[in-house]
Amino acid sequence: WPKDVGILALEVYFPAQYVDQTDLEKYNNVEAGKYTVGLGQTHMGFCSVQEDINSLCLTVVQRLMERTQLPWDSVGRLEVGTETIIDKSKAVKTVLMELFQDSGNTDIEGIDTTNACYGGTASLFNAANWMESSSWDGRYAMVVCGDIAVYPNGNARPTGGAGAVAMLIGPKAPLALEQGLRGTHMENVYDFYKPNLASEYPMVDGKLSIQCYFRALDRCYTSYRQKIQNQWKQAGNDRPFTLDDLQYMIFHTPFCKMVQKSLARLMFSDFLSASRDTPSSLYKGLEAFRGLKLEDTYNNKDLDKALLKASQDTFNKKTKASLYLSTHNGNMYTSSLYGCLASLLSSHSAQELAGSRIGAFSYGSGLAASFFSFRVSQDASPGSPLDKLVSSTSDLPKRLASRKCVSPEEFTEIMNQREQFYHKVNFSPPGDTSSLFPGTWYLERVDELHRRTYARRP
Ligand code: CAA
C-alpha cells in the first residue's frame, strides 16, 4: 500500500461578511458576555442569499486546484461531506463535476456522505481507505466538506457560522493519518437533526447535544487510548498513553468554550485511568474527584471549574491556536474540525510542527464520532511538503480581517431573506455580487424545475 496517506494540501473558504457577537448580545437583549465569554465566540460568518452549499463547495475546490496548480485529471476520487442538503437525491459532488468535466475528467469516484457534522471525517476516511485498497488507480483524492450553520432566532442562533474546506489526499503526506488508531462511538439519539426539509433550520436539544458530545468524546478517547497502547505493547513498549503523547489536539467546534471543556475532559479521563502514584502536580486540584465515573460528571459544575483550572496550560499549548477560525467565524459543521486544523497550521512554523502528533475529535449529532490522529512529517525544510502546506494557511488571519462587519439588524434581515427564498423556484437571488470575495462562485438562478446554475465573481 502507499505509505503515509493523508493531507497534502488544504484550502479554507468562509463568507465575506460577519456579525459581531458583542453587537448580537445587545441586539438579542442578553447579558453582556453570554456569547463572547460564555460561548467563547467573537464573530459569526454567514452567507448572503446568493450562496448555497453548492457554491461554497465550488469555490473551495476551485481555490484548491488553483493553489496547487494540479491538472484536473490528476484527481481520481472526490468525496463531499455535508449536512446542508438542498436536494434529497442529487449530490453536491455532481455539481462539482462541472469543474472537472470541462477538462474531460469524468472518471472520478465518490459521492456525498451525510451525518450531521461527521460527514467530512467519514469522507476523509473513505478517501484514505480507497488509496490504501486495491481500487486505487494511483491518482489523488479530494475531500470537500462544507456547511451553512443557521438557527432560528433564539439561544442557538449565536452558535451558527458557515464555510467549507477542501483537502488534497495522497501518499507521503506531511499530515499522515495514523493507521489502526481510530476510536469510534456511534449511537441513536435525537440531540440535533433536520427532519424539516422545507427549512434550513435543525431541531436541536442544546443541553442534550452537549451531553452527547461529551459522552462520545469520553468513549472515543478511551477506545483510541486502548488501541494505541495495544500497538505500543506489541512493539515492546508497555506504558500508558496520556494527553502528553499528543502535542496538539483539535476538536469539532460548535462553540469555543465547549472545546476548552473537552480538552479538560481528556485530562480527567487520563487522571481517572492513571494509578494513584502518578505525580499529583499533573492533576492539581483533581484528587477530590477521584472516585467519580466519567458518565456521572456531565453536569458537575465543581468538577468543570477544577478541570478548567488544571488544564489551562495544556489548553494554551495544545488547542487554543486551533480555535482562531472558529472564534471568528463560528461553527462550520462538517468543516469545523478541518478549519481548526488550518488554524493550527497557520499559527505555527513547519519546524514547530515537524514530528508531532495531532489528535482529532470529530462529532456528528445523531450520533457518529471518532477520535483519530495525524503524524506530522519530520522534514520541515524550506520547500518541503510540510513547509508548503503550513505557508499556504498563513494568510488566514488577514483574510478573516478583510471581511465586512454587518449590523445585527442587517444580519437578521438576510436570515429572513434566506427563509423566504429557501427552495423558491424561477428566481435569481437579489443582491450585489461585489460584496463576495473575488473568485467566489454564487447562485445565479433557480429555474422552474429547481435546476440551479452558478456563476463566478471575477
Ligand atoms: N457572561 C459570561 N458567561 C455567561 C453569561 C455572561 N453574562 N451568561 C451566560 N454565560 C455562560 C453560561 O454560564 C454558560 O456557560 P457554562 O455552560 O460553562 O455554565 C454559557 O454562557 C452558555 O449559556 P447557557 O447555557 O445559558 O446558554 P443557552 O442554554 O442559552 O444556549 C446552547 C447554549 C445550548 C449551546 C445553544 O446555543 C445551542 O443549542 N446551540 C446549538 C447546539 C450546540 O451547539 N450543541 C453543541 C454540541 S452538539 C454538536 O457539537 C453538533 C453541532 O455542531 C451542532
Side-chain angles (χ1 to χ4, degrees):
W1 308 129
K3 273 195 156 294
D4 293 334
V5 170
I7 301 173
L8 293 161
L10 176 150
E11 186 65 47
V12 179
Y13 172 74
F14 43 80
Q17 59 195 350
Y18 68 90
V19 62
D20 186 295
Q21 295 272 15
T22 310
D23 295 345
L24 207 55
E25 284 170 350
K26 287 186 201 132
Y27 178 76
N28 287 345
N29 214 7
V30 300
E31 236 182 87
K34 178 164 180 181
Y35 306 158
T36 46
V37 180
L39 300 174
Q41 298 299 126
T42 61
H43 306 103
M44 178 168 62
F46 66 96
C47 292
S48 69
V49 284
Q50 292 149 323
E51 292 190 89
D52 66 11
I53 185 58
N54 293 333
S55 72
L56 257 57
C57 292
L58 282 164
T59 302
V60 80
V61 170
Q62 180 97 48
R63 284 179 59 108
L64 182 62
M65 291 304 282
E66 283 173 2
R67 188 195 283 279
T68 56
Q69 301 269 294
L70 286 170
W72 290 94
D73 62 2
S74 62
V75 176
R77 189 173 183 103
L78 176 59
E79 294 269 346
V80 178
T82 185
E83 57 164 295
T84 306
I85 308 297
I86 47 178
D87 193 296
K88 284 181 279 176
S89 170
K90 187 171 163 52
V92 173
K93 154 70 184 297
T94 62
V95 179
L96 297 179
M97 287 309 298
E98 187 91 18
L99 298 174
F100 289 85
Q101 68 202 21
D102 283 352
S103 74
N105 182 12
T106 57
D107 178 10
I108 308 184
E109 286 188 9
I111 47 166
D112 295 4
T113 301
T114 298
N115 187 85
C117 310
Y118 187 78
T121 297
S123 300
L124 176 64
F125 291 172
N126 286 344
N129 291 349
W130 172 69
M131 208 154 270
E132 290 171 349
S133 78
S134 61
S135 305
W136 188 43
D137 68 0
R139 291 184 292 164
Y140 295 111
M142 191 180 284
V143 169
V144 184
C145 34
D147 276 301
I148 297 173
V150 281
Y151 296 90
N153 236 331
N155 63 352
R157 183 158 265 188
T159 58
V165 172
M167 294 173 274
L168 187 72
I169 310 300
K172 295 189 205 146
L175 295 185
L177 282 160
E178 291 202 287
Q179 289 178 325
L181 290 181
R182 296 176 195 162
T184 288
H185 174 70
M186 301 208 179
E187 66 173 271
N188 181 21
V189 281
Y190 281 93
D191 60 329
F192 167 111
Y193 49 109
K194 292 182 177 166
N196 185 356
L197 300 172
S199 162
E200 273 197 296
Y201 300 139
M203 307 276 289
V204 57
D205 181 337
K207 302 290 175 207
L208 176 65
S209 74
I210 292 170
Q211 190 173 320
C212 290
Y213 180 112
F214 285 149
R215 182 166 64 245
L217 176 66
D218 295 343
R219 302 253 174 113
C220 289
Y221 183 57
T222 304
S223 150
Y224 174 91
R225 189 171 50 202
Q226 193 57 54
K227 287 180 187 178
I228 198 164
Q229 283 177 181
N230 290 348
Q231 276 193 1
W232 286 356
K233 204 166 181 179
Q234 276 173 13
N237 174 4
D238 198 6
R239 74 169 176 85
F241 173 92
T242 71
L243 206 42
D244 273 350
D245 295 298
L246 300 167
Q247 284 66 50
Y248 301 101
M249 182 64 219
I250 58 174
F251 297 83
H252 166 62
T253 306
F255 52 93
C256 294
K257 193 61 180 287
M258 175 124 186
V259 166
Q260 188 165 1
K261 289 185 181 178
S262 299
L263 198 268
R265 280 197 82 78
L266 298 187
M267 179 178 263
F268 189 53
S269 180
D270 280 353
F271 166 74
L272 290 183
S273 64
S275 68
R276 281 183 179 277
D277 48 18
T278 304
S280 59
S281 64
L282 261 182
Y283 303 121
K284 222 168 152 196
L286 300 186
E287 248 345 294
F289 305 98
R290 166 82 64 190
L292 297 179
K293 285 194 181 127
L294 277 171
E295 57 270 28
D296 297 335
T297 57
Y298 301 122
N299 294 311
N300 187 329
K301 295 278 174 200
D302 291 337
L303 175 64
D304 272 5
K305 237 194 241 164
L307 278 178
L308 285 176
K309 198 163 167 211
S311 62
Q312 184 68 54
D313 287 349
T314 310
F315 170 75
N316 290 345
K317 262 191 252 155
K318 295 184 196 291
T319 299
K320 193 173 175 193
S322 70
L323 295 177
Y324 193 82
L325 179 57
S326 300
T327 311
H328 291 85
N329 189 47
N331 196 351
M332 306 195 296
Y333 290 164
T334 51
S335 41
S336 157
L337 179 66
Y338 303 97
C340 289
L341 184 58
S343 298
L344 181 76
L345 299 177
S346 80
S347 55
H348 290 82
S349 67
Q351 284 79 8
E352 283 169 325
L353 294 162
S356 62
R357 173 181 284 125
I358 303 173
F361 175 64
S362 181
Y363 177 82
S365 290
L367 69 82
S370 292
F371 196 110
F372 59 106
S373 52
F374 297 97
R375 183 54 98 170
V376 184
S377 69
Q378 297 282 357
D379 181 7
S381 55
S384 62
L386 177 60
D387 179 53
K388 282 191 196 153
L389 175 64
V390 170
S391 353
S392 75
T393 59
S394 61
D395 61 352
L396 200 59
K398 203 166 121 208
R399 283 174 56 207
L400 280 164
S402 71
R403 295 173 304 168
K404 180 182 165 210
C405 178
V406 307
S407 66
E409 287 78 6
E410 200 180 332
F411 161 70
T412 307
E413 170 55 27
I414 292 172
M415 288 296 105
N416 293 343
Q417 281 184 3
R418 287 192 70 87
E419 282 176 32
Q420 194 191 329
F421 296 145
Y422 191 64
H423 277 188
K424 189 171 164 155
V425 294
N426 203 5
F427 143 89
S428 293
D432 179 6
T433 57
S434 67
S435 63
L436 303 169
F437 284 129
T440 303
W441 284 89
Y442 60 90
L443 176 63
E444 193 178 40
R445 184 152 182 82
V446 186
D447 76 8
E448 61 287 358
L449 296 178
H450 289 270
R451 293 175 302 194
R452 290 172 181 242
T453 46
Y454 296 88
R456 194 178 181 206
R457 216 217 112 174

